[in-house]
Amino acid sequence: MHVLVVGGGGREHAIVWALSKSPKVTKLSCAPGNAGIAALAQCVPVKATDVEGMVAWARENAVDFVMVAPDDPLALGMVDALEAAGIPAFGPRANAAVIEASKAFSKDLMAKYHIPTARYQTFTELEAALAYVREQGAPIVVKADGLALGKGVIVAQSVEEAEEAVRAMMADKKFGEAGAKVVIEECMTGPEVTVLAFCDGKHLVPMPASQDHKRAFDGNQGPNTGGMGSIAPVACYTPDLAQVCMETIFQPTVDAMAAEGRPFQGVLYFGLMLTPQGPKVVEYNSRFGDPECQSVLSLLESDLMDILLACRNGTLDQTEIRWKAGAACCLVLASGGYPSSYRKGLPITGLEEAGKTAVVFHAGTARNDSGELVTGGGRVLGVTAVGGNLDEAIRGAYASAEHIHFEGMQFRTDIGRAF
Ligand code: AMP
Ligand code: GLY
């Protein structure tokens, strides 16, 4: 099969890497891909959000199956467009991707189907939102309704901070239209866990639990980022908790989406908080998390292509999915200054040596005019190691990363030990 993966970050490198091991996949393409992906797949110069361009390229190049990885093309209806053109595709249709694209939609869904989450109200009027914040008091959480690159959430420790966030979103339009509607919700406490699940519209199979590290600096300090590292599995997510989540959150969500006429086919991302009152949903995403994907797929033993086909064809319940017994750790190496401004085009060395003991997934990398590998984004590489246990995996990732160098390289030293 000729398989096309849409996207070009560390997550997509991990997906391409996993698919490259499948005997079913005879040709791999990736749009737009990156310098690391280019070693495993043909990189195609079509933007991930170019729905028409993607359909045309897939048609002209006899693509048999498309895996749409990022949230934007999913929300834009890329899967709908591909399927309408007769090209089988993995990922939710636009009417199901809305579970990530609109926080107001997902909160209303949870309320209607009694899925545990933080208490909330949705506002489109500035004054009403401000009044609610004053009435509820702090701490309180203010969220832009739409997609805001993971930056549209403010956990406010004071009423003033919450008011400022509401004004920034609703009056100053800091996130554009994404902030025209805001969700204001109760502040929950407890460890955060990500559970990714394969879904075929009816059935779901959770993957090993994982944990992202969103803050830029050690000890969960500093600004939020796209994610500075991940581990899988997570010790505090016990089999008992997994059972509770399956019964109160996972299957009810898949059933709710089907009941709403929005069957979810793809990877459903459950961002959970293990609160003293039990597990609750912080957020849903309609795709693999990045960098959770890099750790989780490193543990997959089964053929990823078989699973994607089963999701697309509604036969997930007949598909066995096996995982390695150990643990995985993905350490993100970022550009100096990230998530604020940073330089690009800096030469990267040591990847060959690092690749002997870990898999180095590329995120923001590129080739310069002389063909040298250089930095090309905020998050540059995700050094991912697997071990017999979490300690081994963490040590493996850090040991491998010691070989890698680029000017200003920035990383956390406490991945897997910060919670
Ligand atoms: P989200 O984009 O909704 O995942 O929010 C980003 C981060 O904000 C989450 O990973 C949590 O750490 C935090 N957060 C979001 N909602 C809440 C909440 N209701 N209570 C406490 N923290 C929250
Ligand atoms: N790692 C968080 C996300 O992908 O949204």
Side-chain angles (χ1 to χ4, degrees), residues 103 118 141 143 150 153 155 185-189 192 214 224 273 282-283:
K103 291 197 192 290
V141 181
K143 301 185 174 187
V153 175
V155 181
E185 64 178 42
E186 160 203 14
C187 188
M188 303 184 286
T189 55
E192 273 185 72
K214 290 190 182 175
N224 262 323
M273 201 168 270
V282 179
E283 64 165 341

PDB file of all heavy atoms in Angstrom, residues 103 118 141 143 150 153 155 185-189 192 214 224 273 282-283, ligand 1:
ATOM      1  N   LYS A 103     -14.086  23.933  22.680  1.00  0.00           N
ATOM      2  CA  LYS A 103     -14.168  23.528  24.088  1.00  0.00           C
ATOM      3  C   LYS A 103     -15.606  23.616  24.585  1.00  0.00           C
ATOM      4  O   LYS A 103     -16.024  22.833  25.429  1.00  0.00           O
ATOM      5  CB  LYS A 103     -13.252  24.380  24.946  1.00  0.00           C
ATOM      6  CG  LYS A 103     -11.770  24.108  24.683  1.00  0.00           C
ATOM      7  CD  LYS A 103     -10.898  24.642  25.791  1.00  0.00           C
ATOM      8  CE  LYS A 103      -9.425  24.658  25.420  1.00  0.00           C
ATOM      9  NZ  LYS A 103      -8.829  23.323  25.324  1.00  0.00           N
ATOM     10  N   ALA A 118     -14.621  19.379  35.056  1.00  0.00           N
ATOM     11  CA  ALA A 118     -14.741  20.543  35.937  1.00  0.00           C
ATOM     12  C   ALA A 118     -16.055  21.279  35.660  1.00  0.00           C
ATOM     13  O   ALA A 118     -16.494  21.363  34.510  1.00  0.00           O
ATOM     14  CB  ALA A 118     -13.562  21.482  35.697  1.00  0.00           C
ATOM     15  N   VAL A 141     -10.202  28.844  36.130  1.00  0.00           N
ATOM     16  CA  VAL A 141      -9.550  28.589  34.848  1.00  0.00           C
ATOM     17  C   VAL A 141     -10.335  29.255  33.718  1.00  0.00           C
ATOM     18  O   VAL A 141     -11.548  29.093  33.631  1.00  0.00           O
ATOM     19  CB  VAL A 141      -9.419  27.066  34.607  1.00  0.00           C
ATOM     20  CG1 VAL A 141      -8.720  26.786  33.283  1.00  0.00           C
ATOM     21  CG2 VAL A 141      -8.659  26.418  35.759  1.00  0.00           C
ATOM     22  N   LYS A 143     -10.613  29.713  29.564  1.00  0.00           N
ATOM     23  CA  LYS A 143     -10.184  29.065  28.317  1.00  0.00           C
ATOM     24  C   LYS A 143     -10.826  29.708  27.104  1.00  0.00           C
ATOM     25  O   LYS A 143     -12.040  29.920  27.082  1.00  0.00           O
ATOM     26  CB  LYS A 143     -10.598  27.581  28.318  1.00  0.00           C
ATOM     27  CG  LYS A 143     -10.041  26.779  29.461  1.00  0.00           C
ATOM     28  CD  LYS A 143     -10.383  25.311  29.336  1.00  0.00           C
ATOM     29  CE  LYS A 143      -9.668  24.532  30.428  1.00  0.00           C
ATOM     30  NZ  LYS A 143      -9.813  23.081  30.287  1.00  0.00           N
ATOM     31  N   GLY A 150      -2.620  25.559  21.913  1.00  0.00           N
ATOM     32  CA  GLY A 150      -2.336  25.111  23.274  1.00  0.00           C
ATOM     33  C   GLY A 150      -2.062  26.241  24.249  1.00  0.00           C
ATOM     34  O   GLY A 150      -1.657  26.010  25.379  1.00  0.00           O
ATOM     35  N   VAL A 153      -5.302  28.708  27.486  1.00  0.00           N
ATOM     36  CA  VAL A 153      -5.795  28.333  28.814  1.00  0.00           C
ATOM     37  C   VAL A 153      -5.019  29.074  29.894  1.00  0.00           C
ATOM     38  O   VAL A 153      -3.789  29.022  29.930  1.00  0.00           O
ATOM     39  CB  VAL A 153      -5.669  26.811  29.039  1.00  0.00           C
ATOM     40  CG1 VAL A 153      -6.062  26.427  30.456  1.00  0.00           C
ATOM     41  CG2 VAL A 153      -6.519  26.052  28.032  1.00  0.00           C
ATOM     42  N   VAL A 155      -4.703  29.329  33.970  1.00  0.00           N
ATOM     43  CA  VAL A 155      -5.088  28.877  35.309  1.00  0.00           C
ATOM     44  C   VAL A 155      -4.781  30.058  36.237  1.00  0.00           C
ATOM     45  O   VAL A 155      -3.642  30.279  36.631  1.00  0.00           O
ATOM     46  CB  VAL A 155      -4.310  27.610  35.721  1.00  0.00           C
ATOM     47  CG1 VAL A 155      -4.729  27.116  37.099  1.00  0.00           C
ATOM     48  CG2 VAL A 155      -4.512  26.503  34.685  1.00  0.00           C
ATOM     49  N   GLU A 185     -13.976  27.763  34.082  1.00  0.00           N
ATOM     50  CA  GLU A 185     -14.277  26.553  34.843  1.00  0.00           C
ATOM     51  C   GLU A 185     -13.537  26.450  36.160  1.00  0.00           C
ATOM     52  O   GLU A 185     -12.524  27.116  36.393  1.00  0.00           O
ATOM     53  CB  GLU A 185     -14.080  25.305  33.977  1.00  0.00           C
ATOM     54  CG  GLU A 185     -12.669  25.064  33.508  1.00  0.00           C
ATOM     55  CD  GLU A 185     -12.562  23.779  32.690  1.00  0.00           C
ATOM     56  OE1 GLU A 185     -13.436  23.504  31.855  1.00  0.00           O
ATOM     57  OE2 GLU A 185     -11.579  23.065  32.898  1.00  0.00           O
ATOM     58  N   GLU A 186     -14.066  25.580  36.980  1.00  0.00           N
ATOM     59  CA  GLU A 186     -13.527  25.270  38.293  1.00  0.00           C
ATOM     60  C   GLU A 186     -12.090  24.785  38.152  1.00  0.00           C
ATOM     61  O   GLU A 186     -11.771  24.056  37.212  1.00  0.00           O
ATOM     62  CB  GLU A 186     -14.438  24.174  38.863  1.00  0.00           C
ATOM     63  CG  GLU A 186     -13.904  23.335  39.957  1.00  0.00           C
ATOM     64  CD  GLU A 186     -14.656  21.986  40.030  1.00  0.00           C
ATOM     65  OE1 GLU A 186     -15.392  21.619  39.098  1.00  0.00           O
ATOM     66  OE2 GLU A 186     -14.498  21.314  41.038  1.00  0.00           O
ATOM     67  N   CYS A 187     -11.226  25.139  39.071  1.00  0.00           N
ATOM     68  CA  CYS A 187      -9.830  24.684  39.046  1.00  0.00           C
ATOM     69  C   CYS A 187      -9.739  23.336  39.753  1.00  0.00           C
ATOM     70  O   CYS A 187     -10.091  23.215  40.925  1.00  0.00           O
ATOM     71  CB  CYS A 187      -8.935  25.712  39.742  1.00  0.00           C
ATOM     72  SG  CYS A 187      -7.199  25.347  39.541  1.00  0.00           S
ATOM     73  N   MET A 188      -9.283  22.318  39.028  1.00  0.00           N
ATOM     74  CA  MET A 188      -9.161  20.978  39.613  1.00  0.00           C
ATOM     75  C   MET A 188      -7.719  20.774  40.072  1.00  0.00           C
ATOM     76  O   MET A 188      -6.800  21.461  39.617  1.00  0.00           O
ATOM     77  CB  MET A 188      -9.501  19.914  38.570  1.00  0.00           C
ATOM     78  CG  MET A 188     -10.883  20.058  37.955  1.00  0.00           C
ATOM     79  SD  MET A 188     -11.300  18.714  36.821  1.00  0.00           S
ATOM     80  CE  MET A 188     -10.297  19.103  35.392  1.00  0.00           C
ATOM     81  N   THR A 189      -7.512  19.787  40.939  1.00  0.00           N
ATOM     82  CA  THR A 189      -6.149  19.468  41.376  1.00  0.00           C
ATOM     83  C   THR A 189      -5.922  17.968  41.267  1.00  0.00           C
ATOM     84  O   THR A 189      -6.871  17.184  41.347  1.00  0.00           O
ATOM     85  CB  THR A 189      -5.902  19.881  42.838  1.00  0.00           C
ATOM     86  OG1 THR A 189      -6.910  19.260  43.653  1.00  0.00           O
ATOM     87  CG2 THR A 189      -5.940  21.376  43.026  1.00  0.00           C
ATOM     88  N   GLU A 192      -1.856  14.859  36.322  1.00  0.00           N
ATOM     89  CA  GLU A 192      -2.437  14.830  34.977  1.00  0.00           C
ATOM     90  C   GLU A 192      -1.887  13.649  34.197  1.00  0.00           C
ATOM     91  O   GLU A 192      -0.685  13.382  34.218  1.00  0.00           O
ATOM     92  CB  GLU A 192      -2.078  16.107  34.226  1.00  0.00           C
ATOM     93  CG  GLU A 192      -3.057  17.220  34.490  1.00  0.00           C
ATOM     94  CD  GLU A 192      -2.771  18.448  33.639  1.00  0.00           C
ATOM     95  OE1 GLU A 192      -3.017  18.393  32.427  1.00  0.00           O
ATOM     96  OE2 GLU A 192      -2.301  19.442  34.204  1.00  0.00           O
ATOM     97  N   LYS A 214       4.488  20.034  30.115  1.00  0.00           N
ATOM     98  CA  LYS A 214       4.145  21.200  29.301  1.00  0.00           C
ATOM     99  C   LYS A 214       4.976  22.443  29.577  1.00  0.00           C
ATOM    100  O   LYS A 214       5.164  23.269  28.696  1.00  0.00           O
ATOM    101  CB  LYS A 214       2.666  21.549  29.496  1.00  0.00           C
ATOM    102  CG  LYS A 214       1.767  20.499  28.873  1.00  0.00           C
ATOM    103  CD  LYS A 214       0.312  20.894  28.828  1.00  0.00           C
ATOM    104  CE  LYS A 214      -0.439  19.727  28.237  1.00  0.00           C
ATOM    105  NZ  LYS A 214      -1.831  19.761  28.174  1.00  0.00           N
ATOM    106  N   ASN A 224       4.127  27.755  29.339  1.00  0.00           N
ATOM    107  CA  ASN A 224       3.660  26.546  28.681  1.00  0.00           C
ATOM    108  C   ASN A 224       4.304  26.411  27.305  1.00  0.00           C
ATOM    109  O   ASN A 224       4.565  27.394  26.625  1.00  0.00           O
ATOM    110  CB  ASN A 224       2.140  26.596  28.503  1.00  0.00           C
ATOM    111  CG  ASN A 224       1.435  25.826  29.586  1.00  0.00           C
ATOM    112  OD1 ASN A 224       1.906  24.769  30.032  1.00  0.00           O
ATOM    113  ND2 ASN A 224       0.304  26.337  30.030  1.00  0.00           N
ATOM    114  N   MET A 273      -7.427  14.485  34.738  1.00  0.00           N
ATOM    115  CA  MET A 273      -6.846  14.872  36.009  1.00  0.00           C
ATOM    116  C   MET A 273      -7.370  13.888  37.045  1.00  0.00           C
ATOM    117  O   MET A 273      -8.578  13.647  37.128  1.00  0.00           O
ATOM    118  CB  MET A 273      -7.201  16.309  36.376  1.00  0.00           C
ATOM    119  CG  MET A 273      -6.231  16.879  37.391  1.00  0.00           C
ATOM    120  SD  MET A 273      -6.416  18.670  37.599  1.00  0.00           S
ATOM    121  CE  MET A 273      -5.299  19.326  36.409  1.00  0.00           C
ATOM    122  N   VAL A 282      -9.924  16.871  31.592  1.00  0.00           N
ATOM    123  CA  VAL A 282      -9.449  18.252  31.444  1.00  0.00           C
ATOM    124  C   VAL A 282      -9.736  18.717  30.025  1.00  0.00           C
ATOM    125  O   VAL A 282     -10.203  19.811  29.788  1.00  0.00           O
ATOM    126  CB  VAL A 282      -7.935  18.367  31.727  1.00  0.00           C
ATOM    127  CG1 VAL A 282      -7.451  19.799  31.533  1.00  0.00           C
ATOM    128  CG2 VAL A 282      -7.619  17.885  33.122  1.00  0.00           C
ATOM    129  N   GLU A 283      -9.401  17.860  29.077  1.00  0.00           N
ATOM    130  CA  GLU A 283      -9.631  18.204  27.669  1.00  0.00           C
ATOM    131  C   GLU A 283      -9.662  16.948  26.824  1.00  0.00           C
ATOM    132  O   GLU A 283      -9.134  15.907  27.208  1.00  0.00           O
ATOM    133  CB  GLU A 283      -8.525  19.122  27.148  1.00  0.00           C
ATOM    134  CG  GLU A 283      -7.174  18.441  27.145  1.00  0.00           C
ATOM    135  CD  GLU A 283      -6.103  19.150  26.322  1.00  0.00           C
ATOM    136  OE1 GLU A 283      -6.455  19.970  25.463  1.00  0.00           O
ATOM    137  OE2 GLU A 283      -4.930  18.853  26.538  1.00  0.00           O
TER     138      GLU A 283
HETATM  139  P1  AMP B   1      -6.048  22.355  28.121  1.00  0.00           P
HETATM  140  O1  AMP B   1      -5.555  23.065  26.882  1.00  0.00           O
HETATM  141  O2  AMP B   1      -7.514  22.424  28.319  1.00  0.00           O
HETATM  142  O3  AMP B   1      -5.469  20.989  28.240  1.00  0.00           O
HETATM  143  O4  AMP B   1      -5.365  23.092  29.336  1.00  0.00           O
HETATM  144  C1  AMP B   1      -3.970  23.215  29.441  1.00  0.00           C
HETATM  145  C2  AMP B   1      -3.540  22.910  30.853  1.00  0.00           C
HETATM  146  O5  AMP B   1      -4.201  23.782  31.763  1.00  0.00           O
HETATM  147  C3  AMP B   1      -3.919  21.524  31.325  1.00  0.00           C
HETATM  148  O6  AMP B   1      -2.989  20.569  30.931  1.00  0.00           O
HETATM  149  C4  AMP B   1      -3.963  21.714  32.822  1.00  0.00           C
HETATM  150  O7  AMP B   1      -2.675  21.662  33.368  1.00  0.00           O
HETATM  151  C5  AMP B   1      -4.487  23.111  32.971  1.00  0.00           C
HETATM  152  N1  AMP B   1      -5.938  23.084  33.200  1.00  0.00           N
HETATM  153  C6  AMP B   1      -6.909  23.132  32.270  1.00  0.00           C
HETATM  154  N2  AMP B   1      -8.123  23.076  32.830  1.00  0.00           N
HETATM  155  C7  AMP B   1      -7.933  22.989  34.159  1.00  0.00           C
HETATM  156  C8  AMP B   1      -8.801  22.931  35.297  1.00  0.00           C
HETATM  157  N3  AMP B   1     -10.123  22.955  35.165  1.00  0.00           N
HETATM  158  N4  AMP B   1      -8.233  22.870  36.505  1.00  0.00           N
HETATM  159  C9  AMP B   1      -6.889  22.880  36.657  1.00  0.00           C
HETATM  160  N5  AMP B   1      -6.029  22.954  35.650  1.00  0.00           N
HETATM  161  C10 AMP B   1      -6.534  23.006  34.403  1.00  0.00           C
END
